[in-house]
Amino acid sequence: CFPVTIAGVSNISFSMSNRPLVNSMALSTLISAGLTHPIINVMDSVVNESLTIITTLLSLRERKTPPVSEMSLKDHISYGIIEGVDSNIKDQDIDTLLAEVITEKIKMYKEGQVTLSELIASSEVANYLLRNKINNSRPILLASAKGDNHDLGKKIVAQVLKANQFNVIDLGKDVPNEDIIKAIKMYDPIAVGISSLLTTSLTSISNLVEELKKQNIVIPLWAGGAVVSKNYTDYLGILYGGDALDTLNLVIDIQLNG
């Protein structure tokens, strides 16, 4: 049981200049010392603002916070930001959280809970937050097949991979096969992903597969997009990308197993 204390704060500043400031300082000191029922001038905006600030700070100080080791990653980072302490937050923790959030947003999109534009917006925010990250690991090459000027799905895949700490080089859209092969030789990528939304561009994918064989270039290659099916990729002897989450899992598997 805590004692109830009452004090007329305004009496302290009687006959003094700048009474609102003196009353505000006195109120903060008295509440910190345990005053429970201050008598104040409710029309004094300075005093009212001080009352709000001091009670908020005291509530934060008295709040029982679980040990950092017991917090979720999201709570851990939130705690560090709110309390103004680093609490051993690492860049990798932030990257992991971004990846988790983007993965959850993709699941929501697949379940029809959010629109494509909302998914793209979330991916762009994650990409913006990672803009200053320097990743010198072997890259993933992405390109839209020759004859295809669409790259929306490819951009989402790129952003999801970046949020999961992969180094991504996007060659753009309507990319000739010779440019893709030149980039493979230049960057020595982990894998190459080709996107196609037009049936007319499927031929360029099969031509790329044949050209890689002619030049004895062995590299994991996958294709994805609206017109690409698993039957088609199986026929070509390459990997099937599927949607952005499927592609992420595919790339992780390639990285782990070669």
Side-chain angles (χ1 to χ4, degrees):
C1 182
F2 296 95
V4 174
T5 54
I6 304 173
V9 178
S10 299
N11 293 342
I12 295 173
S13 65
F14 186 72
S15 76
M16 298 178 66
S17 61
N18 203 349
R19 295 191 67 188
L21 179 59
V22 175
N23 291 341
S24 175
M25 295 294 293
L27 178 66
S28 300
T29 303
L30 291 171
I31 290 179
S32 298
L35 177 64
T36 60
H37 291 71
I39 301 174
I40 62 173
N41 177 7
V42 295
M43 303 300 292
D44 190 329
S45 60
V46 176
V47 173
N48 276 325
E49 185 176 356
S50 296
L51 179 62
T52 300
I53 293 172
I54 190 63
T55 53
T56 300
L57 291 174
L58 286 174
S59 66
L60 288 174
R61 188 177 68 183
E62 295 168 0
R63 183 178 58 192
K64 293 186 179 299
T65 304
V68 171
S69 59
E70 297 178 9
M71 294 180 183
S72 67
L73 180 57
K74 182 178 180 180
D75 288 342
H76 180 190
I77 295 175
S78 298
Y79 169 77
I81 294 172
I82 291 172
E83 299 298 333
V85 294
D86 62 23
S87 62
N88 201 29
I89 296 174
K90 301 179 178 64
D91 284 349
Q92 186 176 359
D93 293 333
I94 298 174
D95 295 344
T96 301
L97 181 60
L98 282 173
E100 290 177 358
V101 172
I102 290 300
T103 299
E104 182 61 29
K105 198 61 176 281
I106 293 173
K107 290 179 180 177
M108 292 172 67
Y109 170 70
K110 293 174 70 174
E111 294 170 359
Q113 298 181 39
V114 298
T115 64
L116 178 60
S117 60
E118 289 173 315
L119 172 59
I120 294 170
S122 297
S123 299
E124 288 177 345
V125 169
N127 194 33
Y128 175 80
L129 294 173
L130 292 168
R131 68 195 184 284
N132 292 324
K133 294 285 183 181
I134 299 176
N135 190 337
N136 294 318
S137 61
R138 290 174 62 201
I140 305 294
L141 284 187
L142 298 179
S144 291
K146 176 63 180 175
D148 195 331
N149 284 303
H150 302 86
D151 67 350
L152 185 58
K154 174 174 61 65
K155 283 184 176 179
I156 293 175
V157 169
Q159 289 163 347
V160 169
L161 291 174
K162 288 177 182 178
N164 283 271
Q165 304 174 56
F166 283 100
N167 182 10
V168 177
I169 296 177
D170 188 344
L171 299 178
K173 52 191 176 182
D174 189 22
V175 182
N177 286 340
E178 53 266 33
D179 290 351
I180 295 174
I181 293 174
K182 187 184 300 183
I184 292 173
K185 294 177 179 178
M186 179 181 298
Y187 297 110
D188 185 27
I190 297 172
V192 179
I194 307 297
S195 173
S196 176
L197 267 73
L198 300 174
T199 54
T200 53
S201 64
L202 291 177
T203 303
S204 66
I205 299 178
S206 60
N207 290 341
L208 175 62
V209 173
E210 291 302 316
E211 188 60 35
L212 289 172
K213 289 179 181 177
K214 285 181 184 179
Q215 299 192 31
N216 294 316
I217 298 175
V218 179
I219 188 169
L221 172 67
W222 85 83
V227 299
V228 178
S229 67
K230 191 173 186 308
N231 287 337
Y232 182 69
T233 56
D234 287 346
Y235 171 76
L236 294 179
I238 63 177
L239 301 167
Y240 176 62
D243 61 27
L245 275 184
D246 295 330
T247 301
L248 172 62
N249 292 328
L250 175 65
V251 172
I252 291 174
D253 185 64
I254 291 171
Q255 186 182 48
L256 292 176
N257 302 312

